Amino acid sequence: MGEVAKSIRNFLFSNMNKQFFTFLFFVLLSAVFWLILTLNETYEKEVKVPCRIVNIPKNVVLTSASIDTVRITVRDKGWMLLSYLYGERRPMLSINFKNYDHGNGGGIVPNSDLKRQAEQRLESSTKITAIKPEKLEFFYNNGERKRVPVHWTGRVIPEQLYFISQVKYSVDTVDIYASREKLDSIKVIYTEPLNYVGFRDTLMVNCRLSHPNDVKVVPERVVIAFCTDVLTEESIDVPVKCLNLPEGKVLRTFPPKVKINFVAGVSQVKSLHPEDFSVVADYLEIEQQKTEKCNIYLRNVPQGVSRATLNSKQVDYLIEDIE
């Protein structure tokens, strides 16, 4: 153990290492002087200042988009700008609701008021050169709301041979707060445009809801699951039924069942039954045309089934009287 300590001591205090540590000391000293000189220069920087509306009456609900920051461009020494950006000197603006409410469902805070309040919270050496936005505008109502459905919008396309079999929402309805005119006009809230292409498995998307600035939506985000399935071609035999058939008569078709060809997801095919489809002939049409064959029509197809077609559009028939 003593030999190891001796070897380390000899290495650290060797002539070459003494020179290296001396060089490193002067490099660090130079870096400190450079940093001091740099921070003592005057710079211009944009600072994000927290902003909030205070003294909101209990019966008032803000419907405008969240006003949480104001971007202020300031000029000062580098060390002061660092304290604004990363230290505890970052100011906060408090907007008194009662001072700017114009009594018609909204209010405006002019740029001059924002600048004056910011100057009161910054150091005297700091100069403000710009404030964004030019003005703060807020909207509110007295708690009036409406519940509307959520629909996704955009481009969501799975891989070839796959299709979207089901869309599930974490919440399929949301509450909106707005003026009476807005509430009456909004029937649905859409998501931000989605763009997802070429996926196979279930796609989970956490997306923001799109809405005007003077409308508040609760919640503002939803999670949507796009469930996929593999497309397959299948067929099923379905009995023919007769519409507008008078009492005492029966329609017999030959064959009594017809084949329907369709495309659906593999998982859905397993749960399909003939009664899920509807193939009909119309007695009134048969009586009017008096032909040897009657027309048949595909009336009902389960949701999720596509490209459904009848194998035959006419069948032989016989109308009998029931004794």
Side-chain angles (χ1 to χ4, degrees), residues 146-150 171-176 189 209 217-219 222:
K146 178 181 178 181
R147 181 159 292 186
V148 296
V150 175
V171 290
D172 55 8
T173 59
V174 292
D175 290 328
I176 59 173
I189 289 292
L209 297 178
V217 177
V218 181
V222 297

Side-chain angles (χ1 to χ4, degrees), residues 70 72 77 88 113 115 144 160 165 188-189 191 199 206 218 220 222 250 260 267 303 316:
V70 174
I72 302 178
K77 301 291 185 181
E88 298 180 354
D113 286 9
K115 183 177 181 180
E144 294 177 307
Q160 192 175 7
S165 60
V188 62
I189 289 292
T191 66
F199 58 94
N206 187 332
V218 181
E220 292 188 340
V222 297
V250 63
I260 299 176
S267 59
Q303 186 176 2
D316 295 320

Side-chain angles (χ1 to χ4, degrees), residues 251-255 292-294 314-318:
L251 174 69
R252 302 189 188 280
T253 62
F254 305 96
E292 293 183 357
K293 294 180 178 289
C294 69
Q314 289 186 325
V315 292
D316 295 320
Y317 71 95
L318 178 64

